[in-house]
Amino acid sequence: MNNRFEALKDVSRIDHRIGIKKIIKMNLEGYAFILPWLIGFLAFMLYPLLMSLYYSFTKYSIVGNPEWIGLQNYLTIFLTDEKFWMSLKVTFFYVVFAVPLRLAAALALAMLFKKARPLTNFYRAAYYVPSILGGSVAISVVWRQLFGSKGAFNDILLSLGLINQRISWIGTPDTAIWTLILLAAWQFGSPMIVFLAGLKQIPKSLYEAAKIDGASKWQQFTRITIPLLTPVIFFNLLMQMVRLFLMFTQAFIITDGGPLDRTLVYALYLYRKGISFGHLGYGSALAWIILVILTVATIIIFKTSNKWVYYES
């Protein structure tokens, strides 16, 4: 009897091993496909992320070994670093105005290009180009020349009689940040394409029914288009908020944080402390603070989305 039980156990073990081998063999191709991504994720994302967390608790410059100092970097940032608060204030001001302006411009053009007209595809592609080039060094240099005291923007305003003398729009504390906001609003191509896709999903029958009931174009826009487009607005809002929070190239090239630190956005300040001054530990702490701020902002938007995002299902 005991021998029979032992034999059954052996058969069960063999079946179990064969089953595991089959599962491994079946999934082997899948593991092989994700292996390049997995190696890249571990080597270029997870490892640097964990190392930056470690460095944020150390005094570490480019030369020398990291020295553990606990929370000292964070205490210095929050309690004595005035430029940290200034950069945070500038970044929030920039994001609060740049994101709505970019989304409004993107939605307006998406509405314009919604209907198929001659050369519509050409115009869609042409208006998407700023989204590709807007963050480049070349466009930033052009923008700096455009809004400088000798730039074309002054020529236009002088010819229209709106100003009496030339102004350096990027050199004046009250206007410098607005030149960066204007550049951000101009880069509407990416959200415009997403809005176009969302507009095409709205059933035409709803507009036809509204027209029969005597609804005006504005009423159709506010009662049909906007509510049914809220999932797309939600997506665009999140993506653009994160992107603009991390804006660097434009501020670095056009104004270099000036004048009087009025355009010292957070990413530029982080770069100065971490790379230019070589304080890698301090810079890592700044990076983790902005990561936490972005996470909190994203959670707040997600939590409030059930009050204003409409899902048809």
Side-chain angles (χ1 to χ4, degrees):
M1 193 69 178
N2 288 335
N3 290 336
R4 288 179 64 186
F5 278 126
E6 289 296 327
L8 286 172
K9 282 182 180 177
D10 290 340
V11 170
S12 175
R13 286 195 198 103
I14 292 168
D15 286 343
H16 183 65
R17 287 174 188 166
I18 292 171
I20 291 173
K21 284 181 180 176
K22 275 186 177 178
I23 291 170
I24 292 173
K25 192 176 179 181
M26 286 171 62
N27 294 329
L28 202 57
E29 289 181 357
Y31 292 136
F33 274 114
I34 67 167
L35 192 60
W37 175 86
L38 197 61
I39 292 171
F41 173 74
L42 294 174
F44 301 114
M45 291 189 70
L46 188 61
Y47 177 72
L49 194 69
L50 295 177
M51 287 307 295
S52 75
L53 180 61
Y54 166 69
Y55 289 145
S56 71
F57 295 105
T58 65
K59 184 180 180 182
Y60 180 40
S61 61
I62 295 176
V63 181
N65 296 321
E67 178 189 349
W68 183 266
I69 56 172
L71 294 172
Q72 188 58 49
N73 282 332
Y74 292 96
L75 291 175
T76 304
I77 289 170
F78 286 118
L79 299 179
T80 62
D81 191 344
E82 293 181 0
K83 288 209 172 185
F84 161 74
W85 292 108
M86 183 67 183
S87 66
L88 212 55
K89 181 183 171 185
V90 169
T91 305
F92 270 100
F93 183 87
Y94 172 76
V95 171
V96 164
F97 285 96
V99 171
L101 283 174
R102 180 183 285 190
L103 295 186
L107 180 58
L109 283 166
M111 292 291 295
L112 189 65
F113 295 139
K114 185 176 65 171
K115 289 184 179 177
R117 297 186 179 91
L119 297 177
T120 299
N121 289 333
F122 169 77
Y123 287 119
R124 285 175 185 169
Y127 278 95
Y128 183 73
V129 170
S131 190
I132 301 171
L133 300 178
S136 66
V137 173
I139 291 297
S140 297
V141 172
V142 170
W143 213 258
R144 188 176 62 191
Q145 297 299 324
L146 192 65
F147 288 94
S149 59
K150 297 179 180 177
F153 189 65
N154 273 326
D155 291 336
I156 295 170
L157 294 181
L158 283 169
S159 64
L160 294 173
L162 297 176
I163 57 174
N164 298 320
Q165 59 182 5
R166 292 182 174 275
I167 301 169
S168 176
W169 298 94
I170 59 174
T172 305
D174 292 335
T175 58
I177 189 66
W178 287 101
T179 62
L180 299 181
I181 291 172
L182 194 61
L183 177 56
W186 180 62
Q187 298 170 268
F188 46 71
S190 177
M192 180 191 74
I193 295 296
V194 180
F195 276 134
L196 267 173
L199 286 170
K200 288 190 175 182
Q201 299 302 316
I202 300 175
K204 290 182 181 177
S205 57
L206 294 177
Y207 293 106
E208 291 169 357
K211 195 181 291 183
I212 291 170
D213 290 340
S216 64
K217 290 286 184 185
W218 177 250
Q219 286 173 324
Q220 291 176 33
F221 178 72
T222 54
R223 304 291 176 84
I224 298 173
T225 305
I226 292 294
L228 293 181
L229 210 57
T230 48
V232 180
I233 295 172
F234 172 65
F235 173 79
N236 270 336
L237 177 65
L238 275 180
M239 297 300 291
Q240 300 307 319
M241 181 195 73
V242 172
R243 183 174 292 181
L244 292 180
F245 251 111
L246 303 177
M247 187 272 286
F248 169 75
T249 306
Q250 297 89 327
F252 181 66
I253 300 293
I254 298 172
T255 59
D256 196 22
L260 302 174
D261 292 335
R262 294 295 182 87
T263 60
L264 183 64
V265 292
Y266 197 90
L268 180 58
Y269 180 57
L270 193 158
Y271 168 79
R272 280 185 183 175
K273 296 295 285 188
I275 305 299
S276 299
F277 301 153
H279 302 314
L280 295 181
Y282 200 87
S284 297
L286 286 170
W288 274 92
I289 289 170
I290 194 64
L291 178 64
V292 170
I293 290 172
L294 273 174
T295 304
V296 171
T298 304
I299 290 172
I300 290 172
I301 293 175
F302 262 100
K303 290 289 183 185
T304 56
S305 66
N306 58 356
K307 297 185 183 301
W308 62 276
V309 178
Y310 171 74
Y311 292 103
E312 198 172 2
S313 58

